[in-house]
mmCIF file of all heavy atoms in Angstrom:
data_model
loop_
_atom_site.group_PDB
_atom_site.id
_atom_site.type_symbol
_atom_site.label_atom_id
_atom_site.label_comp_id
_atom_site.label_asym_id
_atom_site.label_seq_id
_atom_site.Cartn_x
_atom_site.Cartn_y
_atom_site.Cartn_z
ATOM 1 N N ASP A 17 0.843 -1.193 0.000
ATOM 2 C CA ASP A 17 0.000 0.000 0.000
ATOM 3 C C ASP A 17 0.882 1.249 0.000
ATOM 4 O O ASP A 17 1.811 1.369 0.794
ATOM 5 C CB ASP A 17 -0.896 0.001 1.237
ATOM 6 C CG ASP A 17 -1.986 1.054 1.141
ATOM 7 O OD1 ASP A 17 -2.102 1.686 0.080
ATOM 8 O OD2 ASP A 17 -2.715 1.226 2.138
ATOM 9 N N GLY A 18 0.608 2.145 -0.919
ATOM 10 C CA GLY A 18 1.407 3.363 -1.033
ATOM 11 C C GLY A 18 2.386 3.333 -2.183
ATOM 12 O O GLY A 18 2.801 4.380 -2.671
ATOM 13 N N ASP A 19 2.771 2.119 -2.647
ATOM 14 C CA ASP A 19 3.644 2.029 -3.811
ATOM 15 C C ASP A 19 2.845 2.348 -5.073
ATOM 16 O O ASP A 19 1.661 2.044 -5.162
ATOM 17 C CB ASP A 19 4.232 0.619 -3.940
ATOM 18 C CG ASP A 19 5.198 0.297 -2.804
ATOM 19 O OD1 ASP A 19 5.598 1.250 -2.110
ATOM 20 O OD2 ASP A 19 5.526 -0.875 -2.628
ATOM 21 N N VAL A 20 3.499 2.928 -6.046
ATOM 22 C CA VAL A 20 2.800 3.272 -7.290
ATOM 23 C C VAL A 20 3.083 2.266 -8.391
ATOM 24 O O VAL A 20 2.341 2.165 -9.361
ATOM 25 C CB VAL A 20 3.191 4.687 -7.781
ATOM 26 C CG1 VAL A 20 2.726 5.715 -6.771
ATOM 27 C CG2 VAL A 20 4.706 4.806 -7.977
ATOM 28 N N ASP A 21 4.153 1.516 -8.274
ATOM 29 C CA ASP A 21 4.523 0.557 -9.305
ATOM 30 C C ASP A 21 3.697 -0.708 -9.137
ATOM 31 O O ASP A 21 3.676 -1.306 -8.068
ATOM 32 C CB ASP A 21 6.020 0.233 -9.197
ATOM 33 C CG ASP A 21 6.470 -0.746 -10.273
ATOM 34 O OD1 ASP A 21 5.746 -0.920 -11.265
ATOM 35 O OD2 ASP A 21 7.554 -1.322 -10.103
ATOM 36 N N THR A 22 3.000 -1.128 -10.180
ATOM 37 C CA THR A 22 2.197 -2.350 -10.106
ATOM 38 C C THR A 22 2.946 -3.570 -10.622
ATOM 39 O O THR A 22 2.378 -4.648 -10.732
ATOM 40 C CB THR A 22 0.888 -2.185 -10.908
ATOM 41 O OG1 THR A 22 1.205 -1.896 -12.265
ATOM 42 C CG2 THR A 22 0.033 -1.082 -10.326
ATOM 43 N N ALA A 23 4.227 -3.415 -10.965
ATOM 44 C CA ALA A 23 5.029 -4.563 -11.378
ATOM 45 C C ALA A 23 5.527 -5.288 -10.135
ATOM 46 O O ALA A 23 5.561 -4.736 -9.045
ATOM 47 C CB ALA A 23 6.225 -4.095 -12.216
ATOM 48 N N PRO A 24 5.915 -6.560 -10.247
ATOM 49 C CA PRO A 24 6.464 -7.268 -9.102
ATOM 50 C C PRO A 24 7.592 -6.478 -8.456
ATOM 51 O O PRO A 24 8.506 -6.005 -9.127
ATOM 52 C CB PRO A 24 6.973 -8.589 -9.709
ATOM 53 C CG PRO A 24 6.099 -8.797 -10.898
ATOM 54 C CD PRO A 24 5.829 -7.415 -11.440
ATOM 55 N N ALA A 25 7.553 -6.353 -7.134
ATOM 56 C CA ALA A 25 8.453 -5.442 -6.446
ATOM 57 C C ALA A 25 9.793 -6.048 -6.114
ATOM 58 O O ALA A 25 10.783 -5.340 -6.016
ATOM 59 C CB ALA A 25 7.778 -4.940 -5.162
ATOM 60 N N ALA A 26 9.841 -7.350 -5.876
ATOM 61 C CA ALA A 26 11.111 -7.932 -5.437
ATOM 62 C C ALA A 26 11.123 -9.424 -5.694
ATOM 63 O O ALA A 26 10.094 -10.080 -5.757
ATOM 64 C CB ALA A 26 11.324 -7.664 -3.948
ATOM 65 N N ASP A 27 12.343 -9.963 -5.811
ATOM 66 C CA ASP A 27 12.550 -11.400 -5.941
ATOM 67 C C ASP A 27 11.733 -12.022 -7.057
ATOM 68 O O ASP A 27 11.193 -13.116 -6.935
ATOM 69 C CB ASP A 27 12.225 -12.111 -4.618
ATOM 70 C CG ASP A 27 13.315 -13.127 -4.288
ATOM 71 O OD1 ASP A 27 14.031 -13.528 -5.219
ATOM 72 O OD2 ASP A 27 13.459 -13.480 -3.123
ATOM 73 N N GLY A 28 11.648 -11.302 -8.163
ATOM 74 C CA GLY A 28 10.954 -11.854 -9.314
ATOM 75 C C GLY A 28 11.653 -13.074 -9.873
ATOM 76 O O GLY A 28 11.037 -13.892 -10.552
ATOM 77 N N SER A 29 12.956 -13.213 -9.597
ATOM 78 C CA SER A 29 13.700 -14.359 -10.115
ATOM 79 C C SER A 29 13.165 -15.655 -9.525
ATOM 80 O O SER A 29 13.006 -16.656 -10.243
ATOM 81 C CB SER A 29 15.182 -14.209 -9.801
ATOM 82 O OG SER A 29 15.394 -14.095 -8.396
ATOM 83 N N PHE A 30 12.871 -15.661 -8.211
ATOM 84 C CA PHE A 30 12.331 -16.862 -7.587
ATOM 85 C C PHE A 30 10.937 -17.168 -8.124
ATOM 86 O O PHE A 30 10.634 -18.294 -8.498
ATOM 87 C CB PHE A 30 12.290 -16.693 -6.066
ATOM 88 C CG PHE A 30 11.556 -17.800 -5.359
ATOM 89 C CD1 PHE A 30 11.960 -19.119 -5.493
ATOM 90 C CD2 PHE A 30 10.459 -17.524 -4.563
ATOM 91 C CE1 PHE A 30 11.281 -20.144 -4.849
ATOM 92 C CE2 PHE A 30 9.780 -18.539 -3.916
ATOM 93 C CZ PHE A 30 10.188 -19.853 -4.053
ATOM 94 N N ALA A 31 10.078 -16.156 -8.190
ATOM 95 C CA ALA A 31 8.720 -16.348 -8.699
ATOM 96 C C ALA A 31 8.750 -16.815 -10.151
ATOM 97 O O ALA A 31 8.006 -17.716 -10.549
ATOM 98 C CB ALA A 31 7.920 -15.060 -8.573
ATOM 99 N N GLY A 32 9.621 -16.207 -10.954
ATOM 100 C CA GLY A 32 9.726 -16.589 -12.357
ATOM 101 C C GLY A 32 10.246 -18.007 -12.527
ATOM 102 O O GLY A 32 9.755 -18.773 -13.364
ATOM 103 N N ALA A 33 11.255 -18.374 -11.719
ATOM 104 C CA ALA A 33 11.798 -19.729 -11.791
ATOM 105 C C ALA A 33 10.751 -20.755 -11.390
ATOM 106 O O ALA A 33 10.639 -21.820 -12.013
ATOM 107 C CB ALA A 33 13.029 -19.845 -10.889
ATOM 108 N N PHE A 34 9.977 -20.426 -10.367
ATOM 109 C CA PHE A 34 8.935 -21.353 -9.918
ATOM 110 C C PHE A 34 7.876 -21.538 -11.004
ATOM 111 O O PHE A 34 7.462 -22.659 -11.306
ATOM 112 C CB PHE A 34 8.289 -20.821 -8.635
ATOM 113 C CG PHE A 34 7.520 -21.870 -7.886
ATOM 114 C CD1 PHE A 34 8.110 -22.554 -6.841
ATOM 115 C CD2 PHE A 34 6.222 -22.182 -8.230
ATOM 116 C CE1 PHE A 34 7.414 -23.540 -6.150
ATOM 117 C CE2 PHE A 34 5.518 -23.162 -7.556
ATOM 118 C CZ PHE A 34 6.114 -23.840 -6.511
ATOM 119 N N ARG A 35 7.461 -20.437 -11.609
ATOM 120 C CA ARG A 35 6.463 -20.506 -12.678
ATOM 121 C C ARG A 35 6.981 -21.340 -13.850
ATOM 122 O O ARG A 35 6.276 -22.197 -14.386
ATOM 123 C CB ARG A 35 6.116 -19.100 -13.146
ATOM 124 C CG ARG A 35 5.081 -19.054 -14.275
ATOM 125 C CD ARG A 35 4.856 -17.635 -14.762
ATOM 126 N NE ARG A 35 6.076 -17.040 -15.293
ATOM 127 C CZ ARG A 35 6.731 -16.044 -14.701
ATOM 128 N NH1 ARG A 35 6.303 -15.512 -13.587
ATOM 129 N NH2 ARG A 35 7.836 -15.550 -15.255
ATOM 130 N N ASP A 36 8.237 -21.108 -14.254
ATOM 131 C CA ASP A 36 8.794 -21.836 -15.394
ATOM 132 C C ASP A 36 8.959 -23.323 -15.085
ATOM 133 O O ASP A 36 8.682 -24.178 -15.949
ATOM 134 C CB ASP A 36 10.152 -21.238 -15.789
ATOM 135 C CG ASP A 36 10.012 -19.841 -16.366
ATOM 136 O OD1 ASP A 36 8.883 -19.456 -16.732
ATOM 137 O OD2 ASP A 36 11.024 -19.115 -16.433
ATOM 138 N N ALA A 37 9.412 -23.644 -13.868
ATOM 139 C CA ALA A 37 9.607 -25.050 -13.512
ATOM 140 C C ALA A 37 8.284 -25.809 -13.535
ATOM 141 O O ALA A 37 8.210 -26.950 -14.008
ATOM 142 C CB ALA A 37 10.256 -25.161 -12.128
ATOM 143 N N ALA A 38 7.227 -25.159 -13.043
ATOM 144 C CA ALA A 38 5.910 -25.804 -13.056
ATOM 145 C C ALA A 38 5.427 -26.014 -14.486
ATOM 146 O O ALA A 38 4.953 -27.097 -14.855
ATOM 147 C CB ALA A 38 4.912 -24.956 -12.267
ATOM 148 N N TYR A 39 5.541 -24.983 -15.308
ATOM 149 C CA TYR A 39 5.065 -25.061 -16.697
ATOM 150 C C TYR A 39 5.844 -26.112 -17.491
ATOM 151 O O TYR A 39 5.255 -26.915 -18.228
ATOM 152 C CB TYR A 39 5.195 -23.697 -17.359
ATOM 153 C CG TYR A 39 4.812 -23.692 -18.823
ATOM 154 C CD1 TYR A 39 3.477 -23.685 -19.210
ATOM 155 C CD2 TYR A 39 5.787 -23.706 -19.816
ATOM 156 C CE1 TYR A 39 3.118 -23.699 -20.555
ATOM 157 C CE2 TYR A 39 5.445 -23.711 -21.155
ATOM 158 C CZ TYR A 39 4.112 -23.706 -21.517
ATOM 159 O OH TYR A 39 3.764 -23.725 -22.844
ATOM 160 N N LEU A 40 7.155 -26.126 -17.342
ATOM 161 C CA LEU A 40 7.981 -27.052 -18.118
ATOM 162 C C LEU A 40 7.797 -28.497 -17.658
ATOM 163 O O LEU A 40 7.878 -29.434 -18.467
ATOM 164 C CB LEU A 40 9.445 -26.638 -18.025
ATOM 165 C CG LEU A 40 9.788 -25.300 -18.687
ATOM 166 C CD1 LEU A 40 11.180 -24.827 -18.280
ATOM 167 C CD2 LEU A 40 9.688 -25.401 -20.203
ATOM 168 N N SER A 41 7.561 -28.692 -16.361
ATOM 169 C CA SER A 41 7.311 -30.049 -15.862
ATOM 170 C C SER A 41 6.035 -30.610 -16.465
ATOM 171 O O SER A 41 5.985 -31.770 -16.883
ATOM 172 C CB SER A 41 7.211 -30.039 -14.334
ATOM 173 O OG SER A 41 8.438 -29.687 -13.734
ATOM 174 N N VAL A 42 4.993 -29.800 -16.537
ATOM 175 C CA VAL A 42 3.733 -30.244 -17.131
ATOM 176 C C VAL A 42 3.897 -30.495 -18.625
ATOM 177 O O VAL A 42 3.236 -31.364 -19.198
ATOM 178 C CB VAL A 42 2.628 -29.201 -16.878
ATOM 179 C CG1 VAL A 42 1.349 -29.563 -17.625
ATOM 180 C CG2 VAL A 42 2.332 -29.111 -15.394
ATOM 181 N N GLY A 43 4.803 -29.758 -19.261
ATOM 182 C CA GLY A 43 5.046 -29.956 -20.682
ATOM 183 C C GLY A 43 5.467 -31.371 -21.017
ATOM 184 O O GLY A 43 5.231 -31.849 -22.139
ATOM 185 N N ARG A 44 6.078 -32.068 -20.062
ATOM 186 C CA ARG A 44 6.474 -33.455 -20.302
ATOM 187 C C ARG A 44 5.268 -34.348 -20.569
ATOM 188 O O ARG A 44 5.345 -35.314 -21.327
ATOM 189 C CB ARG A 44 7.244 -33.992 -19.094
ATOM 190 C CG ARG A 44 8.630 -33.378 -18.908
ATOM 191 C CD ARG A 44 9.257 -33.876 -17.616
ATOM 192 N NE ARG A 44 10.682 -33.552 -17.523
ATOM 193 C CZ ARG A 44 11.454 -33.861 -16.485
ATOM 194 N NH1 ARG A 44 10.918 -34.508 -15.451
ATOM 195 N NH2 ARG A 44 12.736 -33.537 -16.478
ATOM 196 N N PHE A 45 4.133 -34.046 -19.939
ATOM 197 C CA PHE A 45 2.924 -34.849 -20.135
ATOM 198 C C PHE A 45 2.383 -34.698 -21.550
ATOM 199 O O PHE A 45 1.673 -35.566 -22.038
ATOM 200 C CB PHE A 45 1.833 -34.424 -19.140
ATOM 201 C CG PHE A 45 2.104 -34.824 -17.721
ATOM 202 C CD1 PHE A 45 2.856 -34.025 -16.886
ATOM 203 C CD2 PHE A 45 1.596 -36.007 -17.218
ATOM 204 C CE1 PHE A 45 3.097 -34.380 -15.576
ATOM 205 C CE2 PHE A 45 1.834 -36.382 -15.905
ATOM 206 C CZ PHE A 45 2.591 -35.576 -15.075
ATOM 207 N N ARG A 46 2.696 -33.564 -22.190
ATOM 208 C CA ARG A 46 2.119 -33.283 -23.501
ATOM 209 C C ARG A 46 2.962 -33.802 -24.658
ATOM 210 O O ARG A 46 2.621 -33.583 -25.819
ATOM 211 C CB ARG A 46 1.913 -31.772 -23.665
ATOM 212 C CG ARG A 46 0.897 -31.191 -22.692
ATOM 213 C CD ARG A 46 0.509 -29.772 -23.084
ATOM 214 N NE ARG A 46 1.631 -28.855 -22.968
ATOM 215 C CZ ARG A 46 1.869 -28.112 -21.888
ATOM 216 N NH1 ARG A 46 1.061 -28.191 -20.840
ATOM 217 N NH2 ARG A 46 2.906 -27.290 -21.844
ATOM 218 N N CYS A 47 4.060 -34.469 -24.367
ATOM 219 C CA CYS A 47 4.902 -35.000 -25.443
ATOM 220 C C CYS A 47 4.104 -35.986 -26.304
ATOM 221 O O CYS A 47 3.495 -36.932 -25.779
ATOM 222 C CB CYS A 47 6.128 -35.712 -24.867
ATOM 223 S SG CYS A 47 7.430 -34.599 -24.301
ATOM 224 N N ALA A 48 4.111 -35.772 -27.607
ATOM 225 C CA ALA A 48 3.399 -36.684 -28.508
ATOM 226 C C ALA A 48 3.991 -38.088 -28.434
ATOM 227 O O ALA A 48 3.274 -39.083 -28.550
ATOM 228 C CB ALA A 48 3.455 -36.149 -29.942
ATOM 229 N N VAL A 49 5.308 -38.170 -28.253
ATOM 230 C CA VAL A 49 5.990 -39.458 -28.121
ATOM 231 C C VAL A 49 6.386 -39.633 -26.661
ATOM 232 O O VAL A 49 7.249 -38.907 -26.157
ATOM 233 C CB VAL A 49 7.240 -39.525 -29.014
ATOM 234 C CG1 VAL A 49 7.926 -40.875 -28.848
ATOM 235 C CG2 VAL A 49 6.862 -39.292 -30.470
ATOM 236 N N PRO A 50 5.749 -40.545 -25.918
ATOM 237 C CA PRO A 50 6.077 -40.728 -24.505
ATOM 238 C C PRO A 50 7.561 -41.017 -24.297
ATOM 239 O O PRO A 50 8.161 -41.823 -25.004
ATOM 240 C CB PRO A 50 5.216 -41.940 -24.099
ATOM 241 C CG PRO A 50 4.099 -41.967 -25.086
ATOM 242 C CD PRO A 50 4.688 -41.458 -26.375
ATOM 243 N N GLY A 51 8.151 -40.337 -23.345
ATOM 244 C CA GLY A 51 9.548 -40.577 -23.016
ATOM 245 C C GLY A 51 10.550 -39.772 -23.821
ATOM 246 O O GLY A 51 11.756 -39.834 -23.546
ATOM 247 N N PHE A 52 10.073 -38.999 -24.814
ATOM 248 C CA PHE A 52 11.021 -38.227 -25.627
ATOM 249 C C PHE A 52 11.747 -37.178 -24.791
ATOM 250 O O PHE A 52 12.887 -36.818 -25.083
ATOM 251 C CB PHE A 52 10.295 -37.564 -26.800
ATOM 252 C CG PHE A 52 11.209 -36.798 -27.716
ATOM 253 C CD1 PHE A 52 12.192 -37.457 -28.438
ATOM 254 C CD2 PHE A 52 11.095 -35.423 -27.850
ATOM 255 C CE1 PHE A 52 13.043 -36.761 -29.281
ATOM 256 C CE2 PHE A 52 11.952 -34.714 -28.689
ATOM 257 C CZ PHE A 52 12.921 -35.385 -29.417
ATOM 258 N N TRP A 53 11.094 -36.718 -23.716
ATOM 259 C CA TRP A 53 11.730 -35.716 -22.857
ATOM 260 C C TRP A 53 13.013 -36.257 -22.224
ATOM 261 O O TRP A 53 13.929 -35.481 -21.898
ATOM 262 C CB TRP A 53 10.751 -35.259 -21.768
ATOM 263 C CG TRP A 53 10.319 -36.330 -20.804
ATOM 264 C CD1 TRP A 53 9.262 -37.165 -20.928
ATOM 265 C CD2 TRP A 53 10.949 -36.688 -19.568
ATOM 266 N NE1 TRP A 53 9.169 -38.024 -19.862
ATOM 267 C CE2 TRP A 53 10.203 -37.747 -19.004
ATOM 268 C CE3 TRP A 53 12.069 -36.227 -18.884
ATOM 269 C CZ2 TRP A 53 10.535 -38.343 -17.784
ATOM 270 C CZ3 TRP A 53 12.410 -36.817 -17.666
ATOM 271 C CH2 TRP A 53 11.647 -37.860 -17.135
ATOM 272 N N LYS A 54 13.090 -37.585 -22.048
ATOM 273 C CA LYS A 54 14.294 -38.168 -21.439
ATOM 274 C C LYS A 54 15.513 -37.981 -22.347
ATOM 275 O O LYS A 54 16.635 -37.793 -21.860
ATOM 276 C CB LYS A 54 14.068 -39.652 -21.154
ATOM 277 C CG LYS A 54 12.990 -39.921 -20.105
ATOM 278 C CD LYS A 54 12.820 -41.403 -19.861
ATOM 279 C CE LYS A 54 11.725 -41.669 -18.825
ATOM 280 N NZ LYS A 54 11.532 -43.119 -18.578
ATOM 281 N N ILE A 55 15.293 -38.042 -23.659
ATOM 282 C CA ILE A 55 16.400 -37.815 -24.597
ATOM 283 C C ILE A 55 16.861 -36.365 -24.505
ATOM 284 O O ILE A 55 18.058 -36.072 -24.453
ATOM 285 C CB ILE A 55 15.966 -38.176 -26.029
ATOM 286 C CG1 ILE A 55 15.623 -39.657 -26.124
ATOM 287 C CG2 ILE A 55 17.051 -37.796 -27.040
ATOM 288 C CD1 ILE A 55 15.080 -40.075 -27.471
ATOM 289 N N LYS A 56 15.911 -35.434 -24.473
ATOM 290 C CA LYS A 56 16.259 -34.021 -24.354
ATOM 291 C C LYS A 56 16.965 -33.744 -23.035
ATOM 292 O O LYS A 56 17.891 -32.930 -22.966
ATOM 293 C CB LYS A 56 14.996 -33.166 -24.469
ATOM 294 C CG LYS A 56 14.340 -33.232 -25.841
ATOM 295 C CD LYS A 56 12.975 -32.591 -25.843
ATOM 296 C CE LYS A 56 13.043 -31.093 -25.594
ATOM 297 N NZ LYS A 56 11.696 -30.477 -25.644
ATOM 298 N N LYS A 57 16.551 -34.436 -21.977
ATOM 299 C CA LYS A 57 17.206 -34.255 -20.678
ATOM 300 C C LYS A 57 18.643 -34.764 -20.728
ATOM 301 O O LYS A 57 19.570 -34.110 -20.210
ATOM 302 C CB LYS A 57 16.419 -34.985 -19.590
ATOM 303 C CG LYS A 57 17.045 -34.858 -18.205
ATOM 304 C CD LYS A 57 16.244 -35.615 -17.157
ATOM 305 C CE LYS A 57 16.945 -35.530 -15.802
ATOM 306 N NZ LYS A 57 16.204 -36.259 -14.742
ATOM 307 N N ALA A 58 18.836 -35.931 -21.331
ATOM 308 C CA ALA A 58 20.193 -36.489 -21.428
ATOM 309 C C ALA A 58 21.113 -35.576 -22.232
ATOM 310 O O ALA A 58 22.300 -35.442 -21.923
ATOM 311 C CB ALA A 58 20.141 -37.882 -22.048
ATOM 312 N N LEU A 59 20.542 -34.934 -23.267
ATOM 313 C CA LEU A 59 21.341 -34.021 -24.099
ATOM 314 C C LEU A 59 21.402 -32.607 -23.516
ATOM 315 O O LEU A 59 22.157 -31.771 -24.020
ATOM 316 C CB LEU A 59 20.744 -33.965 -25.511
ATOM 317 C CG LEU A 59 20.762 -35.278 -26.298
ATOM 318 C CD1 LEU A 59 20.004 -35.111 -27.613
ATOM 319 C CD2 LEU A 59 22.196 -35.727 -26.563
#
């Protein structure tokens, strides 16, 4: 309250990393070929 900036104020790196980790983990479920993510992980 009292701040004028409506953008994230601090530690956006942690929030951003958490958001990306959640999104990318779910992306594994959407692989057309099951298990293909394991090859990308190995590489």
Side-chain angles (χ1 to χ4, degrees):
D17 192 6
D19 293 346
V20 296
D21 181 17
T22 59
D27 225 339
S29 58
F30 171 58
F34 197 96
R35 180 184 61 249
D36 292 344
Y39 176 78
L40 294 167
S41 295
V42 173
R44 290 175 168 179
F45 289 87
R46 295 192 294 266
C47 282
V49 180
F52 182 64
W53 63 271
K54 295 180 181 179
I55 297 175
K56 294 169 66 178
K57 179 181 177 180
L59 297 174

